[in-house]
Amino acid sequence: MDSNNDWRQRLYVMIFQTDTVAGRRFDRLLLLIILASLVIVILDSIDEVHQNYAKVLAYIEWGFTLIFAIEYGLRLYCSPKPLRYAFSFYGLVDLLAIVPGILALYYSDAQYLLIIRIIRMLRIFRVLKLSPYLKQANYLMSALRGSKQKIVVFLVSVCTLVTVFGTLMYVIEGPEHGFTSIPKGIYWAIVTLTTVGFGDIVPKTPLGQVISSLVMITGYSIIAVPTGIFTAELANAMRGDQLQHDCPVCKKSSHEPNAAFCSRCGNGLYSKVE
Amino acid sequence: MDSNNDWRQRLYVMIFQTDTVAGRRFDRLLLLIILASLVIVILDSIDEVHQNYAKVLAYIEWGFTLIFAIEYGLRLYCSPKPLRYAFSFYGLVDLLAIVPGILALYYSDAQYLLIIRIIRMLRIFRVLKLSPYLKQANYLMSALRGSKQKIVVFLVSVCTLVTVFGTLMYVIEGPEHGFTSIPKGIYWAIVTLTTVGFGDIVPKTPLGQVISSLVMITGYSIIAVPTGIFTAELANAMRGDQLQHDCPVCKKSSHEPNAAFCSRCGNGLYSKVE
Amino acid sequence: MDSNNDWRQRLYVMIFQTDTVAGRRFDRLLLLIILASLVIVILDSIDEVHQNYAKVLAYIEWGFTLIFAIEYGLRLYCSPKPLRYAFSFYGLVDLLAIVPGILALYYSDAQYLLIIRIIRMLRIFRVLKLSPYLKQANYLMSALRGSKQKIVVFLVSVCTLVTVFGTLMYVIEGPEHGFTSIPKGIYWAIVTLTTVGFGDIVPKTPLGQVISSLVMITGYSIIAVPTGIFTAELANAMRGDQLQHDCPVCKKSSHEPNAAFCSRCGNGLYSKVE
Amino acid sequence: MDSNNDWRQRLYVMIFQTDTVAGRRFDRLLLLIILASLVIVILDSIDEVHQNYAKVLAYIEWGFTLIFAIEYGLRLYCSPKPLRYAFSFYGLVDLLAIVPGILALYYSDAQYLLIIRIIRMLRIFRVLKLSPYLKQANYLMSALRGSKQKIVVFLVSVCTLVTVFGTLMYVIEGPEHGFTSIPKGIYWAIVTLTTVGFGDIVPKTPLGQVISSLVMITGYSIIAVPTGIFTAELANAMRGDQLQHDCPVCKKSSHEPNAAFCSRCGNGLYSKVE
């Protein structure tokens, strides 16, 4: 057996899998490094910190970029199918975690792209006890998927409402009250409909305040729509653990996961071949 | 066969229906033109754009109005029952999409009425794969219809609350803190109850702040009401309600979803195969 | 038969009941008068209106007070049990609708108490087709009653959270950033937790902003609690049209409203006396 | 029997239990004292009150601290297992209610730690009719426990969103519009996503307002997620889940709520009376 190949194999297990102690330890260490590199980027954006420690932080950032580059190299090296990894979702994210660090040498603003490393944090679900979380995320996902069309209908309605109300307010309030253009009016309508209410632009005319009241009550009420959609779908998805099989006699379509007989008519769900 | 009539027939299929390739292409083109005309109206409202391109944009707007006018003419021409089309919902909307463009020649503010063209965007659901979206919209609609009365009760309660709280705040805070009249107080109460919170009018006196806290907690809690109503109704609409199966003895045709026996005559709905 | 008594009887039917044409007409007229009197109070609070029409409005208000006084007198006169009416809920509200109008002759601020007349608007549900709305209101009420204890638990938790966070912010931010006392801090915590966010008091220190973020995310998440409670209870209340009767054999406790046999075990719900 | 021991026993019953009249009276008195001590702390933080009554309030606070110290001593004295009480949750809270009062003699700011006494208010559920409230709290708790993993997934997603959007806004808007650092951007993103919207920092550039609109609509929509999760779980917890009834043939003990036949062996769960 080729000892080099053997070493590569062991590296692969450690880096790509989480079943072994070494694998889990590696993943945990990696998460800590990612987190640390994010903290550095965030700290560097604070003015007082930047003025005093700009150089130190830059060195540390380069250090992290180096570490991630080495890690990326190792992943390419030990992966049995390097190209497949390189073009997988995780492979691209791993690459994206390095590039801005190199770009930052030339364009200082590029460093903020480093925040993209946050996507790597998705691996956190691999370190936590994996499966139950992913199963729950699956529930949420399948609920979202099931409600996709309803949500499109909802979002199209919201966009229409917001455009109409934004234009109305632009015509009624006019530039002298901060509604300087229709896009500004639409921005205000979004701020108001979503009940955020910054207060940077507010209606001043009585008619404008009446329309605003309408927008607010609309926004306050229709939040029920996405909530209702999602709740109904989630309840569906959670009930979906059931056995989906039409009873041959009474057509009852969902049963207990390990049912042998229909609980409504008592007939066998699967007739034995006799 | 009259070739003129035949051409009219083909035009009708293309303009009014979406089953043919030409029909779908026509609808998609129309949507793009509507969207473009909306974008022009919105752009024209931005001051910098208006000052530099007012004339160009005006020409483009007239062009769109011309296109819509021609389209409207064609629809009237090729429709088998022109009057019925003219007074249908879509016919009126199509007319409304032209009128403001002509009015804008005389009153410059009329151009904002063009935003009414957004209603034409409803055709978008015809271009997207029609039926599943409409079915979902139907679910939403039937949920809304089922909860109409509950929502009236809710809105009447909200209006009452808002009037009472608005008057209270006007009496407590008074004009010197921005509550210059009862309508202003009601406007503030709506802003607060819906949790928008612009912050243009805020309570200053301790008693006013206590009442505000009450309004806010009320608003925060009763948002549960429309949400609960809509969710319960939507879950109802989505559940394939009752079991549709004729009882073999008494012919009762709808039963509880999991019924094994008829609740009127007590006979088994499904005889066991023995 | 005493003609005076007969007339009193007919007056009673007209004023207190809604089954006859005259009764419905009377109720509708009364609603309009109440609404008009509310509008007068609201209009009178607007400064420009008050300065120009103070006298006219005062006369109109006295007129309305007179009308309501006469109506109250008639109700007392024609009611078979005047005292019982006088101390019923509606009787007290009817009295309260008159008193502030008389007080307003001496104390000008008392006129705002007139807004109490809004409670009389509750009669609106008698004018609209009564029963379906009241049934829906009953659903909402029974959902609220069913969730009362859960809501007390929720409100106690919210009060505790708000007190703790308000004190924390007072200690952290201090008077120089607007948190001048613990009650002010609690007011701010309520404004923030309910996601209203006026912006009249905002955290300035980094630590204060971290705590604020915590309060906001808490408020954003726990809104799920009253919503969930109410939705679950409402779904229960809507299902509650069912027959509540334990099946003597299988103990299934709720059945179709007119079930004679249990749909689970097929046994009669009520054994015949033989 | 030792009369001293007997007295201790009676003290124990009165202080620690709520079954006797004396016990309930003691708990009610204690709650009032705790509430009064909280009110004193809160009042003392108001500037006008502090300037005029600082000394009186300080004396009262010492009095309350003394009372709580005596109560703590009595609890230790009469408890059969003093150490176990001292290190129980309630024991530690009772101790924490005294310490800040003593610290306040040396550090004046320590007095605000007194607010920790609010935790003692948890005893309120013992004074109110205990069990139904706790049962309801249990429903809420079990719903929260059931949705824990889903909520972790949700919170991780929210944190990621907020970090990405905060960084984006920092890069786009920059320090000149109030986004002075990435943490500030994240704070703004939380304020906006949770629909609080203080308005202390608002986007000024068109691109910033577009991103803001995205954040707001996201925040407005994903509030559906915790609500849906909690509602679905609560409905689950409240439904008397499965049918508990031993199958007469195979002894399977829990079935679908409406099962008429056992899903494992197909035999009727309830034999018909014939």
Side-chain angles (χ1 to χ4, degrees), chain C:
Chain C
M1 206 184 201
D2 189 355
S3 84
N4 183 28
N5 221 340
D6 181 51
W7 196 82
R8 224 164 114 185
Q9 175 69 23
R10 272 161 58 195
L11 199 67
Y12 173 75
V13 169
M14 189 181 86
I15 295 184
F16 280 94
Q17 296 182 350
T18 52
D19 303 335
T20 61
V21 176
R24 263 199 298 278
R25 218 173 269 160
F26 176 83
D27 266 1
R28 240 173 252 162
L29 184 70
L30 188 60
L31 274 180
L32 276 183
I33 295 175
I34 296 167
L35 209 62
S37 84
L38 288 176
V39 169
I40 294 295
V41 175
I42 289 174
L43 278 181
D44 195 25
S45 77
I46 303 172
D47 216 38
E48 301 96 79
V49 176
H50 186 74
Q51 278 169 353
N52 294 321
Y53 306 99
K55 249 189 161 163
V56 182
L57 290 174
Y59 282 126
I60 299 177
E61 269 169 37
W62 292 341
F64 281 128
T65 304
L66 197 69
I67 292 173
F68 289 137
I70 292 170
E71 183 222 339
Y72 185 66
L74 283 180
R75 277 180 192 270
L76 277 181
Y77 166 72
C78 73
S79 171
K81 294 172 182 165
L83 271 180
R84 205 174 144 193
Y85 160 71
F87 289 100
S88 72
F89 173 71
Y90 277 116
L92 290 171
V93 168
D94 291 350
L95 185 60
L96 278 173
I98 309 166
V99 174
I102 295 162
L103 283 180
L105 296 178
Y106 304 99
Y107 314 99
S108 65
D109 258 17
Q111 75 178 93
Y112 298 122
L113 293 171
L114 289 170
I115 213 77
I116 222 162
R117 284 174 184 164
I118 207 170
I119 306 175
R120 299 201 72 190
M121 296 296 287
L122 280 177
R123 287 167 201 268
I124 206 166
F125 290 113
R126 291 182 40 181
V127 173
L128 301 170
K129 268 186 232 125
L130 181 72
S131 48
Y133 285 90
L134 284 194
K135 198 180 161 196
Q136 300 300 329
N138 271 355
Y139 276 151
L140 298 184
M141 274 303 142
S142 94
L144 282 179
R145 220 173 305 120
S147 50
K148 209 185 63 185
Q149 295 176 327
K150 285 199 211 70
I151 282 172
V152 167
V153 172
F154 173 70
L155 284 182
V156 168
S157 315
V158 165
C159 288
T160 309
L161 270 179
V162 151
T163 312
V164 170
F165 277 124
T167 309
L168 255 177
M169 289 301 282
Y170 168 65
V171 174
I172 292 169
E173 291 276 329
E176 65 272 26
H177 295 140
F179 294 80
T180 50
S181 64
I182 292 184
K184 201 101 180 187
I186 293 175
Y187 165 71
W188 173 88
I190 293 174
V191 169
T192 307
L193 193 88
T194 58
T195 77
V196 171
F198 280 135
D200 51 344
I201 315 172
V202 291
K204 299 268 165 57
T205 63
L207 185 55
Q209 292 178 344
V210 169
I211 304 278
S212 303
S213 302
L214 217 72
V215 178
M216 286 181 256
I217 290 177
T218 308
Y220 186 65
S221 305
I222 64 173
I223 201 170
V225 176
T227 308
I229 293 169
F230 186 77
T231 307
E233 289 290 343
L234 187 63
N236 253 2
M238 281 168 64
R239 236 180 289 127
D241 272 342
Q242 302 226 297
L243 170 67
Q244 302 298 332
H245 179 86
D246 277 9
C247 167
V249 175
C250 75
K251 307 296 173 210
K252 184 172 185 289
S253 61
S254 73
H255 306 266
E256 288 185 327
N258 47 11
F261 295 87
C262 174
S263 73
R264 179 155 71 198
C265 66
N267 283 288
L269 290 173
Y270 306 96
S271 317
K272 235 175 172 168
V273 182
E274 274 169 281

Side-chain angles (χ1 to χ4, degrees), chain A:
Chain A
M1 204 186 199
D2 188 358
S3 86
N4 184 27
N5 220 340
D6 180 49
W7 196 81
R8 222 168 112 185
Q9 176 69 23
R10 271 164 55 196
L11 199 66
Y12 172 76
V13 167
M14 190 181 85
I15 294 183
F16 279 94
Q17 295 181 351
T18 52
D19 303 334
T20 61
V21 175
R24 261 199 299 280
R25 217 173 270 162
F26 176 82
D27 265 359
R28 240 173 251 162
L29 185 69
L30 188 59
L31 273 181
L32 277 182
I33 295 175
I34 295 169
L35 209 61
S37 85
L38 287 176
V39 169
I40 294 295
V41 174
I42 288 174
L43 278 181
D44 194 24
S45 76
I46 303 172
D47 215 38
E48 300 97 80
V49 176
H50 186 75
Q51 277 169 354
N52 295 322
Y53 306 99
K55 247 184 165 168
V56 182
L57 289 173
Y59 281 126
I60 300 178
E61 269 168 37
W62 292 342
F64 281 128
T65 303
L66 197 69
I67 292 174
F68 289 136
I70 293 171
E71 184 222 338
Y72 186 66
L74 282 178
R75 278 181 191 268
L76 277 182
Y77 166 73
C78 73
S79 172
K81 295 172 182 164
L83 271 179
R84 207 177 140 191
Y85 160 71
F87 289 101
S88 73
F89 173 71
Y90 277 116
L92 289 172
V93 168
D94 291 351
L95 185 60
L96 277 173
I98 308 165
V99 173
I102 296 162
L103 283 180
L105 296 177
Y106 304 99
Y107 314 99
S108 65
D109 258 17
Q111 76 178 92
Y112 298 122
L113 293 172
L114 289 170
I115 213 76
I116 222 163
R117 284 174 184 165
I118 205 170
I119 306 176
R120 300 200 72 190
M121 295 296 288
L122 280 177
R123 286 167 202 268
I124 204 165
F125 291 114
R126 291 181 40 181
V127 172
L128 302 170
K129 267 183 233 128
L130 181 73
S131 48
Y133 286 90
L134 283 194
K135 197 181 161 197
Q136 300 299 332
N138 271 354
Y139 277 150
L140 297 184
M141 273 303 142
S142 92
L144 282 180
R145 221 173 304 120
S147 49
K148 209 184 62 185
Q149 296 175 327
K150 284 198 212 69
I151 282 172
V152 166
V153 172
F154 172 71
L155 284 183
V156 168
S157 316
V158 165
C159 288
T160 308
L161 270 179
V162 150
T163 312
V164 170
F165 278 124
T167 309
L168 255 177
M169 289 301 281
Y170 168 65
V171 174
I172 292 169
E173 292 276 329
E176 65 273 25
H177 295 139
F179 294 80
T180 52
S181 64
I182 292 184
K184 202 100 180 189
I186 294 175
Y187 165 70
W188 173 88
I190 293 174
V191 169
T192 306
L193 194 87
T194 57
T195 76
V196 171
F198 281 135
D200 52 345
I201 314 172
V202 290
K204 299 269 165 59
T205 64
L207 185 55
Q209 293 179 343
V210 170
I211 304 279
S212 304
S213 303
L214 217 71
V215 178
M216 286 181 255
I217 289 178
T218 307
Y220 186 65
S221 305
I222 62 173
I223 201 169
V225 176
T227 309
I229 293 169
F230 186 77
T231 306
E233 289 290 342
L234 187 63
N236 254 1
M238 282 168 65
R239 237 181 289 128
D241 272 344
Q242 301 226 300
L243 170 67
Q244 300 299 330
H245 179 84
D246 278 6
C247 167
V249 175
C250 75
K251 306 299 174 208
K252 184 172 185 289
S253 62
S254 74
H255 306 267
E256 287 185 327
N258 47 12
F261 295 87
C262 174
S263 74
R264 180 157 69 198
C265 67
N267 283 288
L269 289 173
Y270 307 96
S271 318
K272 236 175 171 168
V273 181
E274 275 169 277

Side-chain angles (χ1 to χ4, degrees), chain B residues 70-89:
Chain B
I70 291 171
E71 184 221 340
Y72 186 66
L74 282 179
R75 279 182 191 268
L76 276 181
Y77 166 73
C78 74
S79 172
K81 294 172 184 165
L83 271 178
R84 206 176 143 191
Y85 160 71
F87 288 100
S88 73
F89 173 71

